[in-house]
Amino acid sequence: MDDHENEPLTIAGNWNFDYRYFAGEAATRFFRELRDNNRIMGTRSPASGKVMVPARSFSDDDYLPATEWVETGPGGKLEVFSIVGTKFPGLPDPPFVIGYVTLDGADTAVLNYVSGVDLTDLDAAAAVLLKQPRVRAVFKERCEGRITDFHFVVEAGGDAA
């Protein structure tokens, strides 16, 4: 068998295009709250009472309109994570951590960057993160109304709730 038969196939391509994202009513308020008030808001499902973050116009469970707004966080629990070790265009240089966090007062998790753990030893970092530590949302000095206006930092001690 030829060694080239085992090499992964690569296909060159380039997706470079401008676009505009229509946020809709719920996402518009969610992003404005980030930008203007440095707070993370969710919406409550009228049937289940679950608080969904990021905010949604309709309940995940039953598709009923979700019109009650609830402030969440800024603390929460890291649910799952990935330590990214590959360079991707537009993302930070690796390694970096991205994870889903369930904020205090929320029932769904939101994805964002996680800092505050030493990544020089990836096995040690993973051991800390696998304990599902408490994290806190930290906002940028100048917010733009984007999900990257904040990221999560592992709290001192990093102990799970």
Side-chain angles (χ1 to χ4, degrees):
M1 179 179 276
D2 186 351
D3 285 341
H4 293 299
E5 290 181 29
N6 294 326
E7 289 181 15
L9 177 66
T10 59
I11 301 170
N14 181 23
W15 290 16
N16 186 9
F17 55 89
D18 294 329
Y19 67 93
R20 289 179 183 244
Y21 168 70
F22 177 72
E25 186 178 331
T28 294
R29 179 167 176 188
F30 175 80
F31 290 122
R32 282 186 179 148
E33 290 287 350
L34 294 177
R35 182 190 67 199
D36 299 342
N37 300 313
N38 289 5
R39 65 183 183 174
I40 304 168
M41 300 294 289
T43 48
R44 186 181 309 278
S45 165
S48 70
K50 291 180 181 177
V51 175
M52 302 168 292
V53 175
R56 299 148 176 69
S57 295
F58 295 88
S59 167
D60 290 344
D61 297 328
D62 50 33
Y63 305 109
L64 292 173
T67 58
E68 181 185 349
W69 286 81
V70 178
E71 184 173 359
T72 64
K77 182 176 101 172
L78 179 66
E79 299 289 348
V80 296
F81 69 93
S82 181
I83 299 174
V84 179
T86 301
K87 177 67 178 155
F88 290 95
L91 296 181
D93 287 336
F96 62 90
V97 178
I98 194 158
Y100 276 101
V101 170
T102 301
L103 290 163
D104 297 340
D107 296 291
T108 62
V110 60
L111 181 72
N112 218 321
Y113 295 105
V114 179
S115 68
V117 63
D118 183 359
L119 296 174
T120 56
D121 180 342
L122 297 182
D123 289 334
V128 169
L129 297 170
L130 281 168
K131 294 178 183 174
Q132 296 182 303
R134 296 278 307 162
V135 297
R136 180 161 295 280
V138 175
F139 284 83
K140 293 164 60 174
E141 188 173 317
R142 182 170 287 149
C143 292
E144 302 172 24
R146 297 175 174 268
I147 199 70
T148 53
D149 284 348
F150 70 94
H151 72 280
F152 297 110
V153 177
V154 174
E155 292 185 338
D159 296 329

